[in-house]
Amino acid sequence: MIRLPRRLAHLVLAVALAFGPALLGAPAQAAERAPAQHSISTDGQEPDGRVPDPLRVGTEGVYAPFSVKEGDEFTGFDIEVMNAVGERLGVEVEYVATPWDSMFAALGSNRFDVVANQVTYNEEREQLYDLSDPYVDTGGVLVVAEDNPEDIQTLEDLKGKRAAENITSSWAEIAEEYDAEIVGVDGMNEAMASLKEGRVDAIVNDKLAVRNYIATSPDPGVKIIDETDEQSQSVFAARKGSGYMPEINKALADMEEDGTTEQIYDSYFSADAEAPRAWDLVKDNAWPMAWKAISVTIPLTAISFAIGLVLALVTAVGRMSASAVPRGIARAYISIIRGTPLLVQLFLIFYALPEVGVDLPPFVAAVIALSLNVGGYAAEVIRSAIESIPKGQWEAARTIGMSPRTALRRIILPQAARTAIPPLSNTLVSLLKDTSLTSIILVVELTQAARFAAAPTFQYMPMFGLAALYYWIICTILSYVQDRAEERFSRYVAA
Protein backbone atom coordinates (compact mmCIF):
# COMPACT_ATOMS: atom_id res chain seq x y z
CA MET A 1 0.00 0.00 0.00
CA ILE A 2 1.25 3.46 -0.89
CA ARG A 3 1.58 5.54 2.26
CA LEU A 4 0.61 9.05 1.36
CA PRO A 5 1.97 11.98 3.34
CA ARG A 6 -0.03 12.90 6.45
CA ARG A 7 -0.82 16.33 4.97
CA LEU A 8 -2.47 14.70 1.96
CA ALA A 9 -4.37 12.32 4.25
CA HIS A 10 -5.73 15.29 6.17
CA LEU A 11 -6.76 16.86 2.85
CA VAL A 12 -8.68 13.69 1.93
CA LEU A 13 -10.44 13.68 5.29
CA ALA A 14 -11.39 17.33 4.86
CA VAL A 15 -12.81 16.68 1.41
CA ALA A 16 -14.78 13.71 2.73
CA LEU A 17 -16.22 15.83 5.52
CA ALA A 18 -17.09 18.52 3.00
CA PHE A 19 -18.91 16.04 0.78
CA GLY A 20 -20.89 14.58 3.68
CA PRO A 21 -22.91 17.72 4.47
CA ALA A 22 -23.36 18.37 0.75
CA LEU A 23 -24.90 14.95 0.20
CA LEU A 24 -27.06 15.30 3.28
CA GLY A 25 -27.99 18.86 2.42
CA ALA A 26 -29.17 18.00 -1.07
CA PRO A 27 -32.05 15.86 0.21
CA ALA A 28 -33.11 18.60 2.57
CA GLN A 29 -33.23 21.13 -0.24
CA ALA A 30 -35.01 18.65 -2.50
CA ALA A 31 -37.56 18.03 0.20
CA GLU A 32 -38.28 21.75 0.31
CA ARG A 33 -38.83 21.74 -3.44
CA ALA A 34 -41.02 18.61 -3.40
CA PRO A 35 -44.76 19.03 -3.86
CA ALA A 36 -46.71 19.75 -0.72
CA GLN A 37 -48.16 16.65 0.89
CA HIS A 38 -51.79 17.68 0.86
CA SER A 39 -53.46 15.12 3.04
CA ILE A 40 -51.00 14.97 5.92
CA SER A 41 -50.88 17.82 8.38
CA THR A 42 -47.41 19.21 9.01
CA ASP A 43 -48.19 20.43 12.52
CA GLY A 44 -49.19 17.04 13.92
CA GLN A 45 -52.94 17.69 13.69
CA GLU A 46 -55.44 15.32 12.11
CA PRO A 47 -56.10 15.59 8.34
CA ASP A 48 -58.98 17.92 7.49
CA GLY A 49 -60.76 15.28 5.35
CA ARG A 50 -60.79 17.34 2.17
CA VAL A 51 -59.77 15.72 -1.09
CA PRO A 52 -56.36 17.09 -2.15
CA ASP A 53 -56.20 19.35 -5.19
CA PRO A 54 -54.47 18.17 -7.26
CA LEU A 55 -55.30 14.58 -6.35
CA ARG A 56 -52.17 12.52 -7.02
CA VAL A 57 -53.00 8.98 -8.13
CA GLY A 58 -50.57 6.07 -8.30
CA THR A 59 -51.11 3.61 -11.15
CA GLU A 60 -49.03 1.17 -13.19
CA GLY A 61 -49.70 2.38 -16.70
CA VAL A 62 -48.93 -1.13 -18.03
CA TYR A 63 -52.02 -3.08 -16.92
CA ALA A 64 -54.38 -3.07 -19.90
CA PRO A 65 -57.24 -2.34 -20.11
CA PHE A 66 -57.37 -0.80 -16.64
CA SER A 67 -54.30 1.43 -16.62
CA VAL A 68 -52.31 2.26 -19.75
CA LYS A 69 -49.87 5.08 -20.48
CA GLU A 70 -49.90 6.27 -24.10
CA GLY A 71 -47.37 9.01 -24.67
CA ASP A 72 -47.82 11.49 -21.86
CA GLU A 73 -51.44 10.54 -21.22
CA PHE A 74 -52.95 7.81 -19.07
CA THR A 75 -56.02 5.91 -20.18
CA GLY A 76 -57.92 2.78 -19.21
CA PHE A 77 -60.97 1.78 -17.22
CA ASP A 78 -59.56 2.70 -13.80
CA ILE A 79 -58.21 5.97 -15.16
CA GLU A 80 -61.54 7.05 -16.64
CA VAL A 81 -63.38 6.16 -13.44
CA MET A 82 -60.91 8.21 -11.40
CA ASN A 83 -61.13 11.10 -13.87
CA ALA A 84 -64.90 11.09 -13.47
CA VAL A 85 -64.49 11.09 -9.68
CA GLY A 86 -62.13 14.06 -9.89
CA GLU A 87 -64.55 15.94 -12.14
CA ARG A 88 -67.38 15.48 -9.65
CA LEU A 89 -65.20 16.55 -6.75
CA GLY A 90 -63.88 19.58 -8.61
CA VAL A 91 -60.21 18.60 -8.30
CA GLU A 92 -57.48 18.04 -10.86
CA VAL A 93 -56.20 14.46 -11.10
CA GLU A 94 -52.48 13.82 -11.63
CA TYR A 95 -51.14 10.33 -12.29
CA VAL A 96 -47.83 8.89 -11.10
CA ALA A 97 -46.60 5.81 -12.99
CA THR A 98 -45.56 3.27 -10.36
CA PRO A 99 -44.66 -0.44 -10.61
CA TRP A 100 -47.13 -2.59 -8.71
CA ASP A 101 -44.51 -4.11 -6.40
CA SER A 102 -43.65 -0.67 -5.04
CA MET A 103 -47.17 0.78 -5.22
CA PHE A 104 -48.05 0.64 -1.54
CA ALA A 105 -44.52 1.58 -0.46
CA ALA A 106 -44.92 4.73 -2.55
CA LEU A 107 -48.36 5.37 -1.06
CA GLY A 108 -46.98 4.97 2.46
CA SER A 109 -44.09 7.35 1.74
CA ASN A 110 -46.58 10.00 0.55
CA ARG A 111 -45.53 9.95 -3.12
CA PHE A 112 -49.21 10.17 -4.04
CA ASP A 113 -52.62 10.22 -2.38
CA VAL A 114 -54.63 7.36 -3.89
CA VAL A 115 -53.97 4.06 -5.68
CA ALA A 116 -56.13 3.34 -8.75
CA ASN A 117 -54.88 0.05 -10.16
CA GLN A 118 -57.43 -2.75 -9.69
CA VAL A 119 -56.76 -3.00 -5.96
CA THR A 120 -58.79 -5.98 -4.75
CA TYR A 121 -60.71 -5.56 -1.52
CA ASN A 122 -59.76 -7.80 1.39
CA GLU A 123 -59.88 -7.51 5.17
CA GLU A 124 -56.11 -7.29 5.55
CA ARG A 125 -55.92 -4.27 3.23
CA GLU A 126 -58.87 -2.65 4.98
CA GLN A 127 -56.92 -2.75 8.26
CA LEU A 128 -53.91 -1.04 6.66
CA TYR A 129 -55.49 1.47 4.29
CA ASP A 130 -58.60 3.55 3.69
CA LEU A 131 -60.50 1.70 0.95
CA SER A 132 -63.30 3.08 -1.21
CA ASP A 133 -66.55 1.38 -2.01
CA PRO A 134 -66.17 -1.09 -4.91
CA TYR A 135 -66.42 0.48 -8.37
CA VAL A 136 -66.39 -2.76 -10.37
CA ASP A 137 -67.01 -6.43 -9.62
CA THR A 138 -65.19 -9.11 -11.52
CA GLY A 139 -63.86 -12.61 -10.96
CA GLY A 140 -60.75 -14.67 -11.42
CA VAL A 141 -60.06 -17.18 -14.17
CA LEU A 142 -57.68 -20.09 -14.60
CA VAL A 143 -55.59 -19.72 -17.74
CA VAL A 144 -53.44 -22.36 -19.44
CA ALA A 145 -51.57 -22.56 -22.73
CA GLU A 146 -53.55 -23.57 -25.82
CA ASP A 147 -51.56 -26.80 -26.01
CA ASN A 148 -52.30 -27.61 -22.36
CA PRO A 149 -51.60 -31.36 -21.89
CA GLU A 150 -55.04 -31.86 -20.28
CA ASP A 151 -53.63 -32.39 -16.76
CA ILE A 152 -55.09 -29.04 -15.65
CA GLN A 153 -58.83 -28.69 -16.14
CA THR A 154 -60.03 -27.07 -12.92
CA LEU A 155 -58.58 -24.99 -10.10
CA GLU A 156 -58.26 -28.16 -8.00
CA ASP A 157 -55.71 -29.44 -10.53
CA LEU A 158 -53.31 -26.63 -9.57
CA LYS A 159 -51.89 -28.67 -6.68
CA GLY A 160 -48.15 -28.94 -7.19
CA LYS A 161 -48.29 -27.00 -10.46
CA ARG A 162 -46.38 -23.80 -11.19
CA ALA A 163 -48.52 -20.66 -11.37
CA ALA A 164 -47.08 -17.34 -12.57
CA GLU A 165 -48.36 -14.59 -10.29
CA ASN A 166 -47.42 -11.19 -8.97
CA ILE A 167 -46.54 -12.25 -5.43
CA THR A 168 -48.23 -9.23 -3.84
CA SER A 169 -51.54 -9.70 -5.69
CA SER A 170 -54.76 -11.31 -4.47
CA TRP A 171 -54.60 -13.77 -7.37
CA ALA A 172 -51.40 -15.24 -5.91
CA GLU A 173 -53.28 -15.86 -2.67
CA ILE A 174 -56.03 -17.72 -4.55
CA ALA A 175 -53.48 -19.86 -6.41
CA GLU A 176 -51.81 -20.68 -3.08
CA GLU A 177 -55.16 -21.76 -1.66
CA TYR A 178 -55.20 -24.46 -4.32
CA ASP A 179 -51.62 -25.50 -3.36
CA ALA A 180 -49.97 -24.15 -6.49
CA GLU A 181 -46.26 -23.36 -6.51
CA ILE A 182 -46.04 -19.59 -7.04
CA VAL A 183 -43.54 -18.30 -9.58
CA GLY A 184 -43.13 -14.56 -9.03
CA VAL A 185 -43.49 -12.21 -12.02
CA ASP A 186 -43.81 -8.43 -12.36
CA GLY A 187 -47.28 -8.50 -13.91
CA MET A 188 -49.79 -10.31 -16.09
CA ASN A 189 -47.88 -9.63 -19.31
CA GLU A 190 -44.77 -11.38 -18.01
CA ALA A 191 -46.97 -14.17 -16.65
CA MET A 192 -48.53 -14.75 -20.08
CA ALA A 193 -45.11 -14.88 -21.73
CA SER A 194 -43.91 -17.44 -19.16
CA LEU A 195 -47.04 -19.55 -19.70
CA LYS A 196 -46.72 -19.63 -23.50
CA GLU A 197 -43.02 -20.51 -23.26
CA GLY A 198 -43.74 -23.42 -20.89
CA ARG A 199 -41.89 -22.05 -17.88
CA VAL A 200 -45.10 -22.26 -15.81
CA ASP A 201 -48.23 -24.38 -15.99
CA ALA A 202 -51.04 -21.90 -15.33
CA ILE A 203 -52.11 -18.40 -14.33
CA VAL A 204 -54.88 -17.14 -12.09
CA ASN A 205 -55.80 -13.56 -12.92
CA ASP A 206 -58.60 -11.05 -13.43
CA LYS A 207 -61.27 -12.21 -15.88
CA LEU A 208 -61.63 -8.84 -17.59
CA ALA A 209 -57.88 -8.38 -17.98
CA VAL A 210 -57.42 -11.87 -19.41
CA ARG A 211 -60.29 -11.43 -21.87
CA ASN A 212 -58.77 -8.13 -23.01
CA TYR A 213 -55.40 -9.84 -23.49
CA ILE A 214 -56.93 -12.57 -25.64
CA ALA A 215 -58.89 -10.01 -27.69
CA THR A 216 -56.03 -7.61 -28.35
CA SER A 217 -52.98 -9.87 -28.59
CA PRO A 218 -52.04 -10.87 -32.18
CA ASP A 219 -51.22 -14.41 -31.02
CA PRO A 220 -52.58 -14.96 -27.49
CA GLY A 221 -51.66 -18.66 -27.28
CA VAL A 222 -53.67 -19.14 -24.06
CA LYS A 223 -57.21 -20.11 -23.09
CA ILE A 224 -59.53 -19.85 -20.10
CA ILE A 225 -60.61 -23.22 -18.65
CA ASP A 226 -62.10 -22.39 -15.24
CA GLU A 227 -63.35 -19.53 -13.08
CA THR A 228 -63.05 -18.83 -9.37
CA ASP A 229 -66.14 -18.92 -7.19
CA GLU A 230 -65.20 -15.70 -5.44
CA GLN A 231 -66.10 -12.34 -6.90
CA SER A 232 -63.31 -9.74 -6.83
CA GLN A 233 -64.24 -6.19 -5.88
CA SER A 234 -61.93 -3.41 -7.08
CA VAL A 235 -61.46 -0.39 -4.83
CA PHE A 236 -59.33 2.73 -4.54
CA ALA A 237 -56.85 2.85 -1.65
CA ALA A 238 -55.50 5.76 0.41
CA ARG A 239 -53.31 6.05 3.50
CA LYS A 240 -55.04 5.06 6.73
CA GLY A 241 -56.69 8.07 8.33
CA SER A 242 -56.57 10.22 5.18
CA GLY A 243 -60.15 11.30 5.85
CA TYR A 244 -61.26 11.99 2.28
CA MET A 245 -62.55 8.56 1.23
CA PRO A 246 -66.21 9.45 2.09
CA GLU A 247 -66.12 12.17 -0.60
CA ILE A 248 -64.75 9.69 -3.14
CA ASN A 249 -67.43 7.19 -2.15
CA LYS A 250 -70.15 9.79 -2.68
CA ALA A 251 -68.81 10.53 -6.17
CA LEU A 252 -68.74 6.80 -6.98
CA ALA A 253 -72.33 6.43 -5.78
CA ASP A 254 -73.45 9.33 -7.98
CA MET A 255 -71.66 7.78 -10.96
CA GLU A 256 -73.36 4.44 -10.35
CA GLU A 257 -76.75 6.11 -10.10
CA ASP A 258 -76.51 8.18 -13.25
CA GLY A 259 -74.97 5.38 -15.31
CA THR A 260 -71.50 6.89 -15.77
CA THR A 261 -69.68 3.83 -14.44
CA GLU A 262 -71.72 1.48 -16.65
CA GLN A 263 -71.00 3.64 -19.68
CA ILE A 264 -67.24 3.51 -19.00
CA TYR A 265 -67.45 -0.25 -18.45
CA ASP A 266 -69.23 -0.82 -21.76
CA SER A 267 -66.65 1.22 -23.65
CA TYR A 268 -63.88 -1.14 -22.52
CA PHE A 269 -65.49 -4.55 -22.16
CA SER A 270 -68.35 -4.71 -24.64
CA ALA A 271 -66.52 -4.02 -27.92
CA ASP A 272 -63.96 -6.05 -29.82
CA ALA A 273 -60.48 -4.57 -30.04
CA GLU A 274 -58.14 -4.91 -32.99
CA ALA A 275 -54.42 -5.31 -32.42
CA PRO A 276 -52.20 -2.92 -34.40
CA ARG A 277 -49.40 -4.21 -36.59
CA ALA A 278 -45.94 -4.43 -35.02
CA TRP A 279 -44.47 -2.02 -37.59
CA ASP A 280 -47.11 0.60 -36.81
CA LEU A 281 -46.32 0.20 -33.12
CA VAL A 282 -42.59 0.74 -33.74
CA LYS A 283 -43.22 3.71 -36.02
CA ASP A 284 -45.53 5.42 -33.53
CA ASN A 285 -43.21 4.94 -30.56
CA ALA A 286 -39.74 5.28 -32.11
CA TRP A 287 -39.38 9.00 -31.36
CA PRO A 288 -41.06 9.02 -27.90
CA MET A 289 -38.71 6.23 -26.78
CA ALA A 290 -35.70 7.97 -28.34
CA TRP A 291 -36.65 11.16 -26.51
CA LYS A 292 -36.76 9.29 -23.19
CA ALA A 293 -33.25 8.04 -23.91
CA ILE A 294 -32.07 11.57 -24.75
CA SER A 295 -33.89 13.44 -21.99
CA VAL A 296 -33.71 10.95 -19.10
CA THR A 297 -31.46 7.91 -19.59
CA ILE A 298 -28.39 9.74 -20.97
CA PRO A 299 -28.51 12.72 -18.53
CA LEU A 300 -29.08 10.36 -15.61
CA THR A 301 -26.06 8.31 -16.68
CA ALA A 302 -23.81 11.32 -17.31
CA ILE A 303 -24.61 13.17 -14.08
CA SER A 304 -24.35 10.05 -11.93
CA PHE A 305 -21.04 9.02 -13.51
CA ALA A 306 -19.49 12.47 -13.08
CA ILE A 307 -20.46 12.69 -9.40
CA GLY A 308 -19.51 9.04 -8.90
CA LEU A 309 -16.00 9.64 -10.28
CA VAL A 310 -15.42 12.46 -7.80
CA LEU A 311 -16.56 10.22 -4.94
CA ALA A 312 -14.41 7.40 -6.30
CA LEU A 313 -11.27 9.56 -6.44
CA VAL A 314 -11.78 10.84 -2.91
CA THR A 315 -12.45 7.31 -1.69
CA ALA A 316 -9.45 5.85 -3.53
CA VAL A 317 -7.07 8.42 -2.04
CA GLY A 318 -8.60 7.73 1.36
CA ARG A 319 -8.00 3.99 0.94
CA MET A 320 -4.30 4.66 0.29
CA SER A 321 -3.90 7.03 3.21
CA ALA A 322 -1.48 6.33 6.02
CA SER A 323 -4.04 7.74 8.45
CA ALA A 324 -6.52 5.24 9.92
CA VAL A 325 -9.55 7.56 9.93
CA PRO A 326 -9.90 8.30 6.16
CA ARG A 327 -8.80 4.75 5.39
CA GLY A 328 -11.53 3.35 7.64
CA ILE A 329 -14.20 5.65 6.21
CA ALA A 330 -13.24 4.67 2.66
CA ARG A 331 -13.26 0.95 3.49
CA ALA A 332 -16.68 1.19 5.16
CA TYR A 333 -18.17 3.10 2.22
CA ILE A 334 -16.86 0.58 -0.34
CA SER A 335 -18.01 -2.36 1.78
CA ILE A 336 -21.56 -1.02 2.14
CA ILE A 337 -21.96 -0.13 -1.53
CA ARG A 338 -20.49 -3.38 -2.84
CA GLY A 339 -22.28 -5.47 -0.23
CA THR A 340 -25.83 -4.29 -0.99
CA PRO A 341 -27.81 -4.49 -4.26
CA LEU A 342 -28.47 -1.29 -6.18
CA LEU A 343 -32.20 -2.04 -6.10
CA VAL A 344 -32.14 -2.06 -2.30
CA GLN A 345 -30.19 1.20 -2.26
CA LEU A 346 -32.82 2.80 -4.51
CA PHE A 347 -35.62 1.63 -2.21
CA LEU A 348 -33.87 2.95 0.89
CA ILE A 349 -33.18 6.37 -0.59
CA PHE A 350 -36.58 6.89 -2.18
CA TYR A 351 -39.03 5.04 0.05
CA ALA A 352 -37.33 4.82 3.45
CA LEU A 353 -35.89 8.33 3.79
CA PRO A 354 -39.34 10.01 3.69
CA GLU A 355 -40.07 8.24 6.97
CA VAL A 356 -37.40 10.42 8.59
CA GLY A 357 -38.46 13.59 6.77
CA VAL A 358 -36.18 13.43 3.70
CA ASP A 359 -38.39 13.53 0.61
CA LEU A 360 -36.52 13.40 -2.71
CA PRO A 361 -37.85 13.80 -6.25
CA PRO A 362 -37.43 10.59 -8.29
CA PHE A 363 -34.65 11.90 -10.56
CA VAL A 364 -32.63 13.31 -7.65
CA ALA A 365 -32.99 10.08 -5.69
CA ALA A 366 -31.86 8.11 -8.73
CA VAL A 367 -28.78 10.34 -9.20
CA ILE A 368 -27.79 9.97 -5.55
CA ALA A 369 -28.19 6.18 -5.55
CA LEU A 370 -26.38 5.67 -8.86
CA SER A 371 -23.57 8.10 -7.94
CA LEU A 372 -22.95 6.37 -4.62
CA ASN A 373 -22.94 3.02 -6.41
CA VAL A 374 -20.44 4.19 -9.04
CA GLY A 375 -18.24 5.72 -6.36
CA GLY A 376 -18.06 2.46 -4.42
CA TYR A 377 -17.07 0.35 -7.42
CA ALA A 378 -14.88 2.84 -9.30
CA ALA A 379 -12.86 3.66 -6.16
CA GLU A 380 -11.05 0.33 -6.33
CA VAL A 381 -10.39 0.80 -10.05
CA ILE A 382 -8.80 4.19 -9.46
CA ARG A 383 -6.84 2.94 -6.44
CA SER A 384 -5.35 0.02 -8.37
CA ALA A 385 -4.49 2.32 -11.27
CA ILE A 386 -2.70 4.77 -8.95
CA GLU A 387 -0.82 1.98 -7.19
CA SER A 388 0.31 0.59 -10.56
CA ILE A 389 2.45 3.71 -11.08
CA PRO A 390 6.05 3.03 -9.97
CA LYS A 391 7.05 4.62 -6.66
CA GLY A 392 9.91 6.28 -8.50
CA GLN A 393 7.38 8.65 -10.07
CA TRP A 394 6.45 9.97 -6.61
CA GLU A 395 10.10 10.28 -5.65
CA ALA A 396 11.00 12.07 -8.88
CA ALA A 397 8.18 14.56 -8.36
CA ARG A 398 9.30 15.19 -4.79
CA THR A 399 12.90 15.70 -6.02
CA ILE A 400 11.89 18.58 -8.29
CA GLY A 401 9.97 20.25 -5.48
CA MET A 402 6.39 19.16 -6.18
CA SER A 403 4.00 18.84 -3.26
CA PRO A 404 2.16 15.48 -2.91
CA ARG A 405 -1.04 17.08 -4.11
CA THR A 406 0.63 18.57 -7.19
CA ALA A 407 2.40 15.29 -7.93
CA LEU A 408 -0.88 13.41 -7.72
CA ARG A 409 -2.62 15.87 -10.04
CA ARG A 410 0.12 16.43 -12.63
CA ILE A 411 2.19 13.23 -12.61
CA ILE A 412 0.33 10.28 -11.13
CA LEU A 413 -3.29 10.73 -12.20
CA PRO A 414 -2.55 11.37 -15.92
CA GLN A 415 -0.56 8.13 -16.07
CA ALA A 416 -3.09 6.20 -13.96
CA ALA A 417 -5.92 7.39 -16.19
CA ARG A 418 -4.61 5.31 -19.12
CA THR A 419 -4.81 2.17 -16.98
CA ALA A 420 -8.17 3.09 -15.44
CA ILE A 421 -10.04 4.05 -18.62
CA PRO A 422 -11.00 0.51 -19.80
CA PRO A 423 -12.50 -0.67 -16.48
CA LEU A 424 -14.09 2.73 -15.87
CA SER A 425 -15.65 2.53 -19.32
CA ASN A 426 -17.14 -0.82 -18.35
CA THR A 427 -18.53 0.84 -15.23
CA LEU A 428 -20.07 3.57 -17.38
CA VAL A 429 -21.71 1.06 -19.71
CA SER A 430 -23.05 -0.90 -16.73
CA LEU A 431 -24.37 2.34 -15.25
CA LEU A 432 -26.21 3.14 -18.48
CA LYS A 433 -28.03 -0.20 -18.28
CA ASP A 434 -28.57 0.07 -14.52
CA THR A 435 -30.66 3.19 -15.09
CA SER A 436 -33.44 0.80 -16.11
CA LEU A 437 -33.78 -0.13 -12.43
CA THR A 438 -34.81 3.41 -11.54
CA SER A 439 -38.31 2.76 -12.88
CA ILE A 440 -38.94 1.17 -9.47
CA ILE A 441 -38.69 4.67 -7.95
CA LEU A 442 -40.97 6.29 -10.52
CA VAL A 443 -38.33 7.44 -13.04
CA VAL A 444 -39.70 6.98 -16.57
CA GLU A 445 -36.61 6.16 -18.61
CA LEU A 446 -36.07 4.19 -21.82
CA THR A 447 -36.98 0.72 -20.55
CA GLN A 448 -40.08 1.94 -18.76
CA ALA A 449 -41.11 3.85 -21.88
CA ALA A 450 -40.87 0.56 -23.81
CA ARG A 451 -43.13 -1.11 -21.26
CA PHE A 452 -45.68 1.68 -21.57
CA ALA A 453 -45.61 1.42 -25.37
CA ALA A 454 -46.09 -2.35 -25.39
CA ALA A 455 -48.69 -2.64 -22.61
CA PRO A 456 -51.85 -1.69 -24.55
CA THR A 457 -51.32 -4.39 -27.18
CA PHE A 458 -49.04 -6.85 -25.33
CA GLN A 459 -46.53 -6.70 -28.21
CA TYR A 460 -43.33 -6.66 -26.19
CA MET A 461 -40.94 -8.05 -28.79
CA PRO A 462 -40.93 -5.02 -31.15
CA MET A 463 -40.87 -2.49 -28.30
CA PHE A 464 -38.07 -4.09 -26.30
CA GLY A 465 -36.23 -4.85 -29.53
CA LEU A 466 -36.33 -1.12 -30.27
CA ALA A 467 -35.15 -0.32 -26.74
CA ALA A 468 -32.27 -2.78 -27.15
CA LEU A 469 -31.30 -1.06 -30.41
CA TYR A 470 -31.17 2.32 -28.69
CA TYR A 471 -29.04 0.97 -25.82
CA TRP A 472 -26.67 -0.67 -28.33
CA ILE A 473 -26.27 2.60 -30.27
CA ILE A 474 -25.45 4.52 -27.08
CA CYS A 475 -22.97 1.85 -25.95
CA THR A 476 -21.31 1.88 -29.38
CA ILE A 477 -20.80 5.64 -29.10
CA LEU A 478 -19.35 5.19 -25.60
CA SER A 479 -16.92 2.57 -26.95
CA TYR A 480 -15.73 5.04 -29.59
CA VAL A 481 -15.22 7.71 -26.92
CA GLN A 482 -13.28 5.16 -24.84
CA ASP A 483 -10.90 4.43 -27.72
CA ARG A 484 -10.23 8.12 -28.28
CA ALA A 485 -9.66 8.69 -24.56
CA GLU A 486 -7.16 5.82 -24.40
CA GLU A 487 -5.23 7.31 -27.33
CA ARG A 488 -5.19 10.74 -25.71
CA PHE A 489 -3.98 9.54 -22.31
CA SER A 490 -1.42 7.09 -23.69
CA ARG A 491 0.99 9.99 -24.18
CA TYR A 492 1.19 10.43 -20.41
CA VAL A 493 2.46 6.88 -19.80
CA ALA A 494 6.14 6.79 -18.96
CA ALA A 495 8.25 4.69 -21.34
Side-chain angles (χ1 to χ4, degrees):
M1 181 180 69
I2 296 178
R3 299 181 62 85
L4 299 179
R6 186 172 298 275
R7 181 177 178 184
L8 184 56
H10 290 164
L11 174 64
V12 172
L13 179 59
V15 173
L17 292 175
F19 267 92
L23 290 175
L24 294 176
Q29 295 171 3
E32 293 175 2
R33 295 192 297 268
Q37 310 303 323
H38 309 286
S39 60
I40 302 299
S41 175
T42 57
D43 56 7
Q45 299 177 359
E46 292 296 319
D48 57 17
R50 292 178 297 179
V51 176
D53 188 8
L55 179 65
R56 296 165 301 153
V57 178
T59 191
E60 278 185 287
V62 294
Y63 189 29
F66 303 104
S67 171
V68 176
K69 190 171 188 290
E70 297 180 349
D72 294 329
E73 300 295 328
F74 286 85
T75 186
F77 176 74
D78 287 19
I79 303 301
E80 291 202 24
V81 171
M82 180 53 73
N83 287 340
V85 168
E87 183 178 348
R88 278 166 170 73
L89 297 177
V91 298
E92 182 182 353
V93 181
E94 295 180 354
Y95 293 98
V96 181
T98 309
W100 175 256
D101 285 341
S102 56
M103 189 74 70
F104 287 97
L107 178 66
S109 61
N110 218 21
R111 298 295 176 181
F112 42 75
D113 308 303
V114 175
V115 175
N117 202 92
Q118 282 295 288
V119 176
T120 302
Y121 171 86
N122 60 43
E123 294 181 355
E124 292 79 8
R125 281 186 178 141
E126 188 175 35
Q127 293 175 0
L128 297 173
Y129 306 98
D130 284 350
L131 302 181
S132 73
D133 294 335
Y135 59 90
V136 66
D137 293 347
T138 182
V141 291
L142 176 62
V143 186
V144 297
E146 283 185 337
D147 57 353
N148 175 45
E150 307 299 329
D151 59 341
I152 302 178
Q153 293 299 320
T154 66
L155 287 160
E156 284 73 16
D157 296 331
L158 279 178
K159 185 175 182 179
K161 296 296 192 296
R162 297 165 299 165
E165 309 290 341
N166 187 299
I167 59 175
T168 59
S169 72
S170 299
W171 306 119
E173 296 177 7
I174 292 176
E176 285 180 331
E177 291 176 3
Y178 289 94
D179 298 321
E181 177 188 343
I182 303 301
V183 178
V185 294
D186 289 337
M188 191 187 75
N189 304 321
E190 292 79 3
M192 289 294 185
S194 297
L195 179 60
K196 290 189 290 185
E197 293 164 8
R199 293 196 291 263
V200 297
D201 304 304
I203 298 170
V204 179
N205 211 300
D206 184 275
K207 176 169 59 179
L208 298 178
V210 171
R211 286 180 175 175
N212 177 263
Y213 174 85
I214 293 174
T216 58
S217 178
D219 180 23
V222 299
K223 61 183 178 181
I224 298 172
I225 59 171
D226 198 7
E227 295 190 12
T228 61
D229 295 330
E230 303 86 354
Q231 282 293 106
S232 170
Q233 295 181 319
S234 298
V235 296
F236 299 129
R239 286 177 296 278
K240 198 69 174 177
S242 59
Y244 45 79
M245 200 55 77
E247 290 191 52
I248 293 178
N249 286 338
K250 184 178 184 305
L252 289 173
D254 292 342
M255 291 165 55
E256 185 71 25
E257 184 177 349
D258 64 20
T260 301
T261 304
E262 183 179 1
Q263 183 180 0
I264 297 173
Y265 182 95
D266 290 342
S267 69
Y268 281 93
F269 304 116
S270 297
D272 294 331
E274 181 180 352
R277 294 179 302 172
W279 170 246
D280 291 335
L281 205 60
V282 170
K283 183 174 61 176
D284 293 341
N285 290 280
W287 170 246
M289 287 176 57
W291 178 245
K292 283 299 179 184
I294 295 169
S295 63
V296 180
T297 298
I298 293 176
L300 183 58
T301 302
I303 295 171
S304 300
F305 189 69
I307 297 175
L309 280 185
V310 175
L311 291 173
L313 178 59
V314 172
T315 304
V317 175
R319 277 276 283 117
M320 296 183 295
S321 171
S323 177
V325 175
R327 194 168 64 247
I329 294 175
R331 283 181 177 275
Y333 167 55
I334 293 173
S335 176
I336 292 172
I337 294 300
R338 297 175 66 176
T340 56
L342 174 58
L343 197 60
V344 173
Q345 296 164 17
L346 287 165
F347 260 95
L348 289 174
I349 291 174
F350 191 70
Y351 293 118
L353 287 184
E355 297 181 8
V356 294
V358 181
D359 192 356
L360 298 168
F363 190 87
V364 175
V367 167
I368 292 175
L370 294 174
S371 299
L372 290 172
N373 198 265
V374 169
Y377 281 94
E380 291 295 82
V381 173
I382 294 176
R383 179 182 66 85
S384 62
I386 292 176
E387 290 184 338
S388 69
I389 305 302
K391 293 183 179 180
Q393 299 289 320
W394 289 94
E395 295 170 356
R398 191 176 299 113
T399 300
I400 61 176
M402 284 188 179
S403 66
R405 181 168 54 183
T406 303
L408 181 67
R409 178 171 59 86
R410 301 189 63 179
I411 304 297
I412 305 302
L413 286 182
Q415 296 184 72
R418 176 63 178 82
T419 304
I421 283 176
L424 287 179
S425 297
N426 287 337
T427 300
L428 176 58
V429 171
S430 296
L431 173 64
L432 172 71
K433 292 177 285 188
D434 284 344
T435 58
S436 62
L437 295 175
T438 62
S439 63
I440 202 72
I441 62 168
L442 318 187
V443 176
V444 181
E445 38 62 61
L446 176 56
T447 301
Q448 186 71 337
R451 292 188 67 199
F452 288 148
T457 60
F458 307 99
Q459 298 190 50
Y460 282 83
M461 178 62 75
M463 291 298 91
F464 280 97
L466 181 61
L469 175 64
Y470 286 155
Y471 279 116
W472 177 76
I473 291 173
I474 298 171
C475 289
T476 300
I477 295 173
L478 291 178
S479 297
Y480 173 77
V481 174
Q482 173 190 340
D483 293 340
R484 295 300 301 271
E486 287 185 33
E487 293 177 5
R488 180 177 179 83
F489 279 95
S490 62
R491 63 186 181 183
Y492 292 111
V493 179

